[in-house]
Amino acid sequence: KLFLGTVCAVLLATAPAEASKPYKGAEVYSLKSYQNGRIELRMRMMRGSSLLSTFFTYKNGSEKSGEFWEELDIEVFGKDDAKSWQSNIISNFPKDYSVEIHTNETSLADDYHTYTLEWTPDYVLWLFDGKQVRKTEGGQAKDLTSAHSFRFNTWSSETDSWAGAFDEGALPAYQFVNWIKYYRYENGEFVPDWMDDFETFDTNRWGKGTWSFGGNRVDFDPANAVVKDGTLILAITK
């Protein structure tokens, strides 16, 4: 479906000559926010120590000083052949973390897999290829009372003890997203609402990030998020 040499050429040809950090990642975010629902995603992730491929839901403005944080994560580690990923609930001020690590037998960079988040007023549930891997009832799941944007990003952590030592030789690296499906939560049921199969980049649904954050060795460059052959591609490049 994808010819990576062509993808790399497209990304590198459109990257700006000057920016604040020497490495570029990508973030794509929904223009609308949603409260509760089921999100299904078909993705193939990056390989490379310190590199992270993600999907997460996020209460916009959580990063502001004194703001109550709300976030749900699917975060795949590129280290150790990209065989593990982390599910997170982040909430409160200051932030509390509820974290679990999940390990796959094969690399998550070799094939596409379906990741699913179910978020209701009572629980948060993660599935991998249709099998439940985690469910949190009550506790921090009850903290998620706001609407969230949906976000993908590719970044590189400067925390070696968590994400591994940086391997520049792994670049360029790519996260691929075939599709995303959203089901709204209505009267105790998940009701199909919309799907994006990325035949185009829908600027009425998605924006591209132009920022960074502490502990991240990349900044987000819109040129590193492209749609090609029915796939959303998010890159990390030098």
Side-chain angles (χ1 to χ4, degrees), residues 36-217:
N36 304 133
R38 177 183 173 103
I39 309 112
E40 298 176 352
L41 312 111
R42 187 75 173 166
M43 300 187 291
R44 177 179 152 203
M45 308 309 236
M46 295 188 301
R47 180 187 285 107
S49 187
S50 93
L51 307 184
L52 295 124
S53 316
T54 80
F55 171 80
F56 60 109
T57 76
Y58 181 73
K59 187 190 83 172
N60 294 344
S62 288
E63 74 284 357
K64 295 178 181 176
S65 178
E67 186 70 23
F68 192 98
W69 198 288
E70 295 186 31
E71 181 177 341
L72 288 170
D73 294 345
I74 295 167
E75 198 155 30
V76 175
F77 296 104
K79 66 179 181 179
D80 302 327
D81 200 29
K83 290 182 177 178
S84 62
W85 60 283
Q86 184 169 293
S87 59
N88 306 325
I89 302 176
I90 307 173
S91 66
N92 213 338
F93 176 79
K95 290 184 284 186
D96 291 326
Y97 294 81
S98 175
V99 174
E100 290 190 16
I101 303 293
H102 315 279
T103 302
N104 197 49
E105 292 183 356
T106 59
S107 176
L108 302 171
D110 286 343
D111 296 295
Y112 284 91
H113 296 277
T114 301
Y115 302 78
T116 304
L117 263 175
E118 290 186 1
W119 167 30
T120 79
D122 301 310
Y123 71 85
V124 178
L125 181 150
W126 288 258
L127 300 101
F128 178 81
D129 286 339
K131 296 181 179 179
Q132 180 178 317
V133 296
R134 178 182 177 186
K135 185 175 185 179
T136 299
E137 298 180 86
Q140 278 187 270
K142 290 280 194 178
D143 289 342
L144 308 174
T145 59
S146 304
H148 293 192
S149 58
F150 296 163
R151 296 174 181 249
F152 304 89
N153 69 22
T154 49
W155 64 288
S156 174
S157 173
E158 294 178 334
T159 304
D160 292 2
S161 60
W162 176 59
F166 179 50
D167 177 13
E168 185 181 282
L171 304 183
Y174 305 97
Q175 174 180 345
F176 304 102
V177 185
N178 272 161
W179 46 256
I180 176 174
K181 299 177 183 178
Y182 171 66
Y183 302 75
R184 66 184 182 274
Y185 189 66
E186 189 174 280
N187 299 320
E189 302 289 338
F190 295 111
V191 180
D193 195 307
W194 57 264
M195 174 184 180
D196 197 332
D197 58 8
F198 298 111
E199 289 301 320
T200 62
F201 187 86
D202 185 351
T203 56
N204 293 314
R205 175 171 286 143
W206 305 106
K208 298 182 181 183
T210 57
W211 46 76
S212 188
F213 52 85
N216 180 7
R217 66 171 45 83

